[in-house]
Amino acid sequence: MARTLPDRPLRPATLLVRGGQMRSNHDETSEALYLTSGFVYESAGQAEETFLGTTQHYQYSRFGNPTVTMLEDRLAALEGTEACRLTATGMAAVHAALLSHLKTGDRVVASRALFGSCHWIVSTLLPRYGITTTFVDGGNLEEWKAAFETPATLVLLETPSNPMLDLVDLAAVCDLAHAAGALVVVDNVFATPLLQKPMDFGADVVVYSLTKHMDGQGRVLGGAVLGRKKWVDEVLQPFIRNTGPSISPFNAWVILKGLETLHLRLPAMCRAAAAIADFLAERVEIARVLYPFRIDHPQQALAKAQMAAGGTLVTFDVKGGKAEAFRLLDALKLIDVSNNLGDAKSLVTHPATTTHMRIGAEERTKLGITDGTIRLSVGLEDVADLIADLSEALDAIAPAPKPVKRAKVVIETPAAVEAEPAPARAPKKPAKPKPQADATLFEMVGDLPEAPGPKK
């Protein structure tokens, strides 16, 4: 059976490998995969006690599963919170966090900068159930203050936001929200718990798409909702149990494996993203580059106060709008066009025609999403190869230089002078190249600082 972990705080890299560890009586090294829909009982009495809740025993994989429990416990330990529940997708996690807590007559305050499907839930789905939503500019504290002049039930926000990498002052907004009686739900997908821990700044609930950095290799879907045990047990769990957005144990097992390397993947991806942002900023074809830790990001100070690094996403605007943006995407040979992110492979998408198509042109304008906006998720390829791919694609869309009229130049060649042929020499053997380590492999991997704590 598994040994008891040391009774002291463990660092993130250790928790990513050891958190939630639970071995069967076979003492397996890797986490066991329990591909079972149900469980048996020793007696009818034990079954009754299990359903009453007086005995702890697995009942049905829609309610709970040992593989799923291991991932829930690992994520809770990493986030530093009391409890976690998993869902089949990230959007199922957002939906469960909201609908489990809200009822007719409630009011939601949301940052305008939300992922397209999250925006649809709060703008279109919730009003069908008599729940109103007030949208605010997430970076404008005055708008948050005005929104909380009347009571609110729940707050939903992303920071950094998708795709424009806008920041929200977590500590300030959480204080305002709590004073208005609201539960604060933070979508922390872009930062991951290694770069930012919203609960340290006052958030009540954190949601993730585990499909992104947690799996990190484009294999499976999954979502997570994390919060205090009382809220998870009494509010969230009944909703998940009875509506059934359950994650597959196989997907949970794959994500457990993905987490083991997150602390190695994320620093390399962040450093590559920062280098690519700097490269893009120097290109004349690019109108604007957004990366939270760049000095020209309007919220750089806030990003550095809340995050350990700038993240793995770079957003930029191509001059010439949609036509030139599409030309750039089509000219890329290494980076794939895909609407996913957080993958080991670098992926690029055009938000106006993919992830944020259905929020409409007017709302995209409010968010700053133009027809030339491109979102790049930086992966684990060599950063020099990624920059070369972007450079070649930008060169391909660059306007051709105007021809310059030049005077015709006539070059007279001197008469040839006969000379005795030089004696033939034996060709030299080419020098054998000396082996050389690829320094970039080492430059791109390193420890991340701890995610910043709350403001004093």
Side-chain angles (χ1 to χ4, degrees):
M1 303 301 289
R3 296 177 180 177
T4 303
L5 291 176
D7 187 20
R8 63 173 183 272
L10 298 176
R11 294 170 176 81
T14 303
L15 292 172
L16 284 165
V17 177
R18 295 283 185 175
Q21 189 172 308
M22 178 172 60
R23 289 191 174 119
S24 74
N25 59 337
H26 298 295
D27 295 328
E28 61 280 344
T29 302
S30 177
E31 292 80 3
L33 173 54
Y34 291 88
L35 285 179
T36 180
S37 57
F39 304 85
V40 300
Y41 308 96
E42 293 179 358
S43 66
Q46 187 191 34
E48 180 186 30
E49 291 170 359
T50 299
F51 274 76
L52 286 170
T54 55
T55 293
Q56 292 299 309
H57 190 281
Y58 287 103
Q59 302 165 264
Y60 191 59
S61 281
R62 174 159 60 87
F63 307 159
N65 174 284
T67 307
V68 172
T69 297
M70 284 187 273
L71 180 53
E72 289 173 340
D73 290 349
R74 182 170 297 181
L75 290 172
L78 183 64
E79 193 75 38
T81 192
E82 296 174 349
C84 172
R85 290 293 180 271
L86 301 185
T87 58
T89 67
M91 283 314 306
V94 174
H95 178 258
L98 271 58
L99 268 293
S100 66
H101 190 81
L102 295 168
K103 64 183 184 305
T104 300
D106 286 344
R107 177 170 166 267
V108 172
V109 179
S111 59
R112 183 169 283 109
L114 294 174
F115 173 59
S117 294
C118 296
H119 192 284
W120 181 86
I121 287 177
V122 293
S123 67
T124 305
L125 181 64
L126 295 186
R128 296 178 184 174
Y129 299 100
I131 301 165
T132 60
T133 300
T134 300
F135 284 104
V136 299
D137 176 350
N140 188 330
L141 278 180
E142 295 306 313
E143 288 195 21
W144 284 107
K145 289 176 184 176
F148 291 127
E149 288 177 356
T150 54
T153 310
L154 185 143
V155 170
L156 177 65
L157 63 91
E158 298 174 4
T159 182
S161 71
N162 183 1
M164 302 309 291
L165 305 179
D166 295 323
L167 279 294
V168 175
D169 188 330
L170 285 170
V173 170
C174 288
D175 286 346
L176 291 168
H178 292 155
L183 182 89
V184 179
V185 179
V186 177
D187 182 337
N188 201 41
V189 167
F190 275 30
T192 83
L194 293 187
L195 301 187
Q196 178 175 267
K197 294 189 175 180
M199 290 185 184
D200 285 349
F201 295 86
D204 302 295
V205 176
V206 178
V207 293
Y208 288 104
S209 170
L210 305 179
T211 311
K212 311 303 189 292
H213 303 89
M214 306 286 197
D215 169 31
Q217 289 151 83
R219 299 169 296 190
V220 298
L221 302 177
V225 185
L226 299 104
R228 295 176 183 85
K229 189 176 187 305
K230 180 177 174 63
W231 183 84
V232 169
D233 288 348
E234 297 179 5
V235 178
L236 180 66
Q237 177 63 13
F239 182 90
I240 290 178
R241 177 188 177 108
N242 292 295
T243 60
S246 312
I247 191 171
S248 157
F250 177 79
N251 288 15
W253 182 82
V254 172
I255 295 165
L256 275 167
K257 299 290 96 186
L259 284 175
E260 292 180 352
T261 59
L262 181 61
H263 64 292
L264 302 175
R265 292 183 280 112
L266 202 63
M269 293 160 77
C270 289
R271 289 181 174 85
I276 289 169
D278 290 342
F279 159 76
L280 290 170
E282 298 298 320
R283 294 290 304 216
V284 296
E285 302 88 352
I286 304 301
R288 173 179 61 163
V289 174
L290 295 169
Y291 186 70
F293 270 33
R294 269 184 62 85
I295 194 168
D296 55 359
H297 191 286
Q299 296 172 295
Q300 185 210 34
L302 178 59
K304 290 196 167 186
Q306 293 183 169
M307 300 173 65
T312 67
L313 281 295
V314 180
T315 298
F316 57 97
D317 282 356
V318 179
K319 294 177 182 177
K322 176 182 173 180
E324 292 304 292
F326 273 31
R327 286 184 64 199
L328 174 63
L329 297 188
D330 292 343
L332 293 167
K333 295 180 179 177
L334 183 64
I335 300 169
D336 292 315
V337 179
S338 174
N339 49 282
N340 198 15
L341 61 94
D343 197 282
K345 296 178 178 67
S346 293
L347 308 172
V348 68
T349 193
H350 183 253
T353 55
T354 58
T355 58
H356 290 69
M357 174 194 288
R358 288 180 171 80
I359 67 172
E362 183 179 349
E363 193 66 20
R364 287 197 299 272
T365 299
K366 292 177 183 176
L367 296 175
I369 301 171
T370 72
D371 286 344
T373 299
I374 289 175
R375 188 195 73 192
L376 171 63
S377 172
V378 180
L380 288 174
E381 304 93 343
D382 191 296
V383 66
D385 289 330
L386 294 174
I387 288 175
D389 194 37
L390 286 163
S391 180
E392 290 165 4
L394 287 166
D395 289 344
I397 71 167
K402 294 180 180 179
V404 179
K405 290 185 178 180
R406 300 181 185 276
K408 187 175 181 180
V409 178
V410 178
I411 301 175
E412 294 183 0
T413 55
V417 178
E418 291 187 7
E420 293 184 7
R425 293 182 181 179
K428 290 184 178 180
K429 290 184 179 180
K432 188 176 181 180
K434 294 180 181 180
Q436 187 174 357
D438 185 354
T440 60
L441 292 178
F442 302 95
E443 291 168 0
M444 297 309 300
V445 178
D447 292 335
L448 281 170
E450 292 284 343
K455 295 179 180 178
K456 302 295 184 184

